[in-house]
Amino acid sequence: MKPGLQFRLNQQLTLTPQLQQAIRLLQLSQLELEAELRQIAEGNPLLEFEEESAPGETEEESFSAAPAEAPTVDHNADDVADWGETDTPAEAPIDFSLGSSAPSGSRGDEDFEPQNAAPETLQEHLLWQLNLSPFNTRQRLIATVIIDALNADGYLAEGIEGVLAALPADLDATIDEIETVRRQLQRFDPTGIASLDLRDCLRVQLEQFDADTPHRGLALQIVAGELELLARNDVAKLARKLRASEEDVAAAALLIRSLDPRPGAALDATPVEYVAPDVYAYKEGNRWKVSLNPDCQPRLGLNQHYCSLIAQARGEDASWMRGQLQEARWLIKSLESRAETLLKVADAIVRRQSAFLDYGPEAMHPLVLREVAEEVGMHESTISRVTTRKYIHTPRGTFELKYFFSSGVSTEDGGGASATAIQAMIKKLIDGEDTRKPLSDQALAEELNRKGIQVARRTVAKYREALRIPSSSERQRAG
């Protein structure tokens, strides 16, 4: 064979660094976006991350996210892959809000919020009481291990054997010794802490009542062996087994229900996480509209002082500053595209699920990513990024955008019902059932079939378990 030259023509799609940055910003949540922008601004002197505009500063001098006129949502805009240069100069003010201020929930002048001390944990509360108790060194060590092993509800889920395994081997502790210390801890505040199970917890709390408390003895009998009948509210059977009147059994049951089955939950120090919505949905006339939350849009702009120094710089300094300026412009453009995409997708979702906003979960329509992607002219992966960890505030509450996507089942008229709507129907049927004869999964499926929704019993069971609703046998209550 003779050596020769051959020409081959091919095409290859390459993600530029700017496009990679735009895609990354698109999938970040609001808090992650703010942290990312602060980090970028620290490394680029041409960028400014402004909390608030300085007094007397004009809008032309501030690249803030202050809301301007409400824009029209352009559903023919290009996908993320088409983000490019903009005709708007980077030095001009850019409005990232893309909408009028939200009809409700937007802040005006912010006040300083009180900074409270960290809440006391259950372990800290118990250790404080332990230090005031007449325990010897050996008992104090055992008590400390027990306190550390308690779960959020205050129960010793690992049992006595677990505490014994966690103690030092040279302590040579016995199960009886650990049990003695545990019973002393049960009298700490809150009463019933360090219990092994529900019976143990309720028994200790009942024993704290005075001996002459009405119906205390009967309540102790119920806790000792008849909690299942109490859960079913079978007063008649309880009265027969305990040889007491139904009035006394009902009074004892009322006393038991006044106790705390989760004594440690009141001191649960798990921090509450608050969600700031990225988008607002509100109704004007007969139409649902959306607007971005201006308080959640980044306030990022160019530093005019450093921009003015570019013309005076020479050599490598000038080249470096021009590069930083170009990166800053790309970042601002990416933020603008992120806001446009978020608003466009949210508007498409709200229009598709307007029945949910009007009538509630039972009116939710089946919706998949592909349908929204086709409507807004983007790829499904882009819709997935936009709807992940982005939240919308509606008159019915604040939801993640992904909440509005669900699979569906067929109906008799050839349409479809979403899983969310079916779950809402199941919950409504169970809420209205006769507790003496609760609806089984098969009965729920038949009731849904009568309403035109073709759903199997196993599907009903799956949705019921997703709602954390117990089975019919566990929901049964005696008259």
Side-chain angles (χ1 to χ4, degrees):
M1 275 181 75
K2 291 185 178 181
L5 296 177
Q6 292 182 350
F7 293 96
R8 182 177 300 171
L9 183 64
N10 61 3
Q11 291 182 334
Q12 183 177 2
L13 180 63
T14 303
L15 292 178
T16 64
Q18 292 82 6
L19 183 57
Q20 293 177 12
Q21 181 188 65
I23 294 175
R24 171 172 170 74
L25 295 180
L26 185 63
Q27 64 188 7
L28 295 179
S29 65
Q30 190 269 329
L31 292 178
E32 293 172 338
L33 176 65
E34 183 177 351
E36 179 81 7
L37 294 180
R38 287 187 180 278
Q39 183 178 0
I40 295 175
E42 289 177 359
N44 191 337
L46 274 298
L47 285 172
E48 281 184 333
F49 197 93
E50 303 170 353
E51 297 295 340
E52 294 291 344
S53 298
E57 186 179 20
T58 63
E59 186 179 359
E60 288 75 11
E61 296 169 343
S62 172
F63 296 85
S64 68
E69 295 182 358
T72 57
V73 180
D74 182 11
H75 298 287
N76 296 321
D78 294 331
D79 200 347
V80 178
D82 297 326
W83 292 353
E85 293 288 351
T86 176
D87 296 334
T88 305
E91 290 80 359
I94 294 179
D95 178 13
F96 292 126
S97 66
L98 298 176
S100 59
S101 58
S104 61
S106 58
R107 300 193 302 266
D109 296 331
E110 296 184 358
D111 299 325
F112 289 104
E113 295 182 359
Q115 300 297 321
N116 299 326
E120 185 181 35
T121 65
L122 174 63
Q123 279 70 23
E124 291 172 347
H125 184 62
L126 295 175
L127 290 174
W128 171 75
Q129 297 176 71
L130 178 63
N131 292 331
L132 301 177
S133 302
F135 283 73
N136 59 37
T137 304
R138 184 183 182 87
Q139 292 174 328
R140 195 177 301 276
L141 177 58
I142 295 174
T144 302
V145 173
I146 293 176
I147 290 173
D148 288 339
L150 299 180
N151 60 21
D153 292 334
Y155 286 90
L156 186 60
E158 298 180 2
I160 303 298
E161 293 76 10
V163 176
L164 182 61
L167 288 170
D170 56 358
L171 187 64
D172 197 21
T174 64
I175 291 181
D176 291 339
E177 189 177 10
I178 297 173
E179 177 65 14
T180 300
V181 175
R182 186 189 71 83
R183 289 185 177 274
Q184 290 178 279
L185 289 178
Q186 284 185 292
R187 269 67 183 179
F188 278 22
D189 177 60
T191 306
I193 212 73
S195 296
L196 298 176
D197 52 32
L198 180 59
R199 281 190 172 86
D200 191 23
C201 179
L202 298 179
R203 176 188 57 79
V204 172
Q205 295 182 51
L206 285 172
E207 290 175 350
Q208 292 294 99
F209 287 100
D210 293 334
D212 57 352
T213 301
H215 312 291
R216 173 178 176 269
L218 189 57
L220 283 170
Q221 294 181 52
I222 296 174
V223 168
E226 306 298 342
L227 275 182
E228 290 77 9
L229 289 177
L230 177 65
R232 295 170 57 184
N233 199 25
D234 197 341
V235 177
K237 192 171 183 178
L238 276 173
R240 290 194 302 270
K241 293 193 67 172
L242 300 175
R243 297 180 180 180
S245 66
E246 293 189 9
E247 291 77 11
D248 290 342
V249 170
L254 187 62
L255 178 61
I256 295 173
R257 291 193 174 96
S258 68
L259 306 177
D260 187 0
R262 301 171 57 207
L267 291 169
D268 187 7
T270 303
V272 178
E273 296 184 1
Y274 297 94
V275 173
D278 300 88
V279 186
Y280 285 100
Y282 58 98
K283 199 169 189 179
E284 282 189 1
N286 295 324
R287 295 185 59 188
W288 285 97
K289 295 185 177 181
V290 295
S291 66
L292 295 181
N293 182 1
D295 295 330
C296 290
Q297 302 310 309
R299 298 176 179 272
L300 191 68
L302 297 178
N303 187 305
Q304 297 299 319
H305 174 69
Y306 282 103
C307 288
S308 63
L309 296 179
I310 295 179
Q312 305 174 15
R314 296 290 184 273
E316 294 182 358
D317 292 341
S319 177
W320 180 82
M321 293 187 70
R322 290 192 186 96
Q324 295 296 308
L325 177 61
Q326 183 62 30
E327 291 183 7
R329 287 173 171 171
W330 268 106
L331 177 61
I332 293 175
K333 173 58 182 175
S334 298
L335 291 174
E336 184 184 28
S337 299
R338 178 184 186 274
E340 290 175 352
T341 305
L342 178 59
L343 187 67
K344 187 189 305 182
V345 172
D347 180 75
I349 292 174
V350 166
R351 285 191 286 104
R352 290 273 187 146
Q353 300 293 3
S354 59
F356 163 80
L357 299 175
D358 287 326
Y359 306 108
E362 293 185 32
M364 182 82 78
H365 293 299
L367 185 64
V368 294
L369 295 174
R370 174 179 50 79
E371 297 176 5
V372 175
E374 292 175 353
E375 180 174 341
V376 300
M378 296 182 178
H379 194 270
E380 291 182 38
S381 62
T382 303
I383 306 302
S384 178
R385 293 186 182 98
V386 173
T387 55
T388 301
R389 293 173 298 174
K390 312 296 190 305
Y391 297 87
I392 180 170
H393 177 77
T394 72
R396 295 191 176 274
T398 300
F399 306 93
E400 187 180 13
L401 289 177
K402 278 193 177 298
Y403 171 79
F404 297 94
F405 295 90
S406 64
S407 59
V409 298
S410 60
T411 59
E412 287 185 351
D413 58 3
S418 71
T420 304
I422 297 174
Q423 289 179 359
M425 295 178 188
I426 293 174
K427 187 176 185 305
K428 185 177 180 180
L429 289 172
I430 292 177
D431 290 342
E433 70 184 1
D434 184 357
T435 56
R436 294 173 297 180
K437 295 181 180 179
L439 297 171
S440 64
D441 293 338
Q442 182 62 39
L444 290 171
E446 293 173 357
E447 186 66 28
L448 292 174
N449 289 336
R450 281 194 288 270
K451 293 184 177 182
I453 300 174
Q454 304 299 322
V455 60
R457 183 201 60 80
R458 60 179 179 274
T459 305
V460 171
K462 180 181 69 173
Y463 289 158
R464 176 182 55 76
E465 292 172 357
L467 293 170
R468 296 184 178 180
I469 297 176
S471 62
S472 59
S473 60
E474 295 174 333
R475 299 197 310 270
Q476 186 176 9
R477 298 290 184 269

